[in-house]
Amino acid sequence: MAFAVASQVDQSRLADGELASSAAAARYIGDTCLSDGPVGRVGLEVEAHCYDPVEPHRRPAWEEITAVLESLPAMPGGSALSVEPGGAVELSGPPVDGVLAAIEAMTSDQAVLRAAFAEAGLGLVMLGADPLRPAKRVNPGARYRAMEQFFAASRSGVAGAAMMTSTASVQVNLDAGPRARWAARVRLAHALGPTMVAIAANSPLLGGEFSGWLSTRQRVWSQLDSARCGPILTASGDDPGTDWARYALKAPVMLVHEPDAVPVTRYVPFADWADGRAVLGGRRPTAYDLDYHLTTLFPPVRPRQWLEIRYLDSVPNAIWPAVAFTLVTLLDDPAAAEVAAEAVEPVATAWDTAARVGLNDRRLHAAASRCVAIAAERAPAQLGDAMRRLVEAVDQGRCPADDFCDQVIANGIAPAVAQLAQGQP
């Protein structure tokens, strides 16, 4: 099993039998959304914006980016490579035993990738949102073309374009764990969200302007349809499978394969398609259509047999290992999880506050201080420098966005971005 599941069309499954009803779809989701087993494996996905340091306003073309990727050998840490709609480059690491092994593998792959892009005169910038360039799709893939058309036809066209082409994240993938602990584990993954958003906020600008938010990436996601991008659970969710099924069946269908991806430009909940109240592509959905529909839903915690933790901004190389270690420790270490659950309970739903003001909110600052202290007590020597940086920043009430703001104010947006693209802190 690999954590990084491709979302491309599986031609062999297009002929799957049709689902009988939304109830059948709900059973399918509940049966397949999480995998019973121990915890311990970790997979990391790291996205970075691609820039030309000489002309930072210019968005490198698809051909430039793919030429670099095609020149690369297999990644030493086993990561798969992909290009996001706006040209951001993603490394998707395989699941490995333990967060330290995952960090080491991803760090080695990043070094190879950065060197190849530098040789081509390009740089990779770890920010949660593109601070300089307007939204523009460069990936010609049919999925992204149809997604673009879907968002353009909705009331969230601007936010959809920004989400697709101007945001980047660090994603942490974890085993679902034993079935008996699923509800508590999924609740905690959600409850940690606002605190971790505040710690990792690193997107104070978008499209050449200060947004007024420290995590503009989180702001962009919150402007999209909550049926597609909002949290699955409230803090009291008791059955993750049922909650995910309810969420997925209410969510509108984005794409239908005929066999190419075609956008659905009217609001059709998947349940209406499955129950025959709406017909798309001249048919009812198949299990493959349902699986694909689930890949077009973007909640902050997404069940994919494992748990995808999707709420972290892309943060600098100097601290992302400490951020990832903190999150994994708070979820996978039972003693740490118990303390963390208590620490974040007062801010478990403060998503907008976290994105807007980060650690300037006293309750979020208190929760973050306690959470990073728990992780720092357990951090191995290899992460000593990164954890010290993170602890010091949290103690001071600062997030990565504050450092980038300082650079922009001192030097201007384009020079600050060019400096990051050249690998300078």
Side-chain angles (χ1 to χ4, degrees), residues 61-72 83 117 140:
W62 172 253
E63 294 76 15
E64 292 177 81
I65 298 170
T66 54
V68 177
L69 300 186
E70 289 168 358
S71 72
L72 289 167
V83 181
F117 273 84

Side-chain angles (χ1 to χ4, degrees), residues 288-305:
Y288 177 73
D289 290 312
L290 178 53
D291 285 337
Y292 199 90
H293 172 64
L294 297 178
T295 74
T296 70
L297 307 181
F298 309 110
V301 180
R302 182 166 68 173
R304 296 287 298 276
Q305 297 183 18

Side-chain angles (χ1 to χ4, degrees), residues 329-352:
T329 298
L330 298 179
L331 282 163
D332 279 7
D333 182 304
E338 184 176 352
V339 178
E342 179 186 351
V344 302
E345 192 276 334
V347 291
T349 59
W351 294 93
D352 282 354

Side-chain angles (χ1 to χ4, degrees), residues 174 185 188-189 192 309 311 326-334 337:
L174 300 175
R185 185 165 171 78
L188 180 57
L192 285 167
I309 314 296
Y311 42 63
T326 297
L327 180 55
V328 174
T329 298
L330 298 179
L331 282 163
D332 279 7
D333 182 304

Side-chain angles (χ1 to χ4, degrees), residues 133-187:
R133 303 170 299 194
K136 181 182 178 182
R137 179 175 61 86
V138 299
N139 187 325
R143 170 184 168 92
Y144 297 132
R145 184 173 60 250
M147 285 177 66
E148 184 177 61
Q149 293 168 352
F150 170 87
F151 284 120
S154 73
R155 291 178 293 178
S156 55
V158 174
M163 178 274 284
M164 290 179 63
T165 68
S166 301
T167 62
S169 70
V170 172
Q171 181 173 302
V172 178
N173 302 315
L174 300 175
D175 285 314
R179 182 184 296 270
R181 295 289 301 160
W182 282 354
R185 185 165 171 78
V186 173
R187 279 199 302 272

Side-chain angles (χ1 to χ4, degrees), residues 1 5 13 19 24-36 176 179 182 239-242 244-245 248 287-288 290-292 294 302-307:
M1 182 199 77
V5 173
R13 290 197 56 200
L19 294 167
R27 286 192 296 272
Y28 178 85
I29 294 170
D31 290 344
T32 61
C33 69
L34 293 174
S35 180
D36 188 17
R179 182 184 296 270
W182 282 354
D239 182 353
T242 298
W244 181 224
Y288 177 73
L290 178 53
D291 285 337
Y292 199 90
L294 297 178
R302 182 166 68 173
R304 296 287 298 276
Q305 297 183 18
W306 58 93
L307 295 180

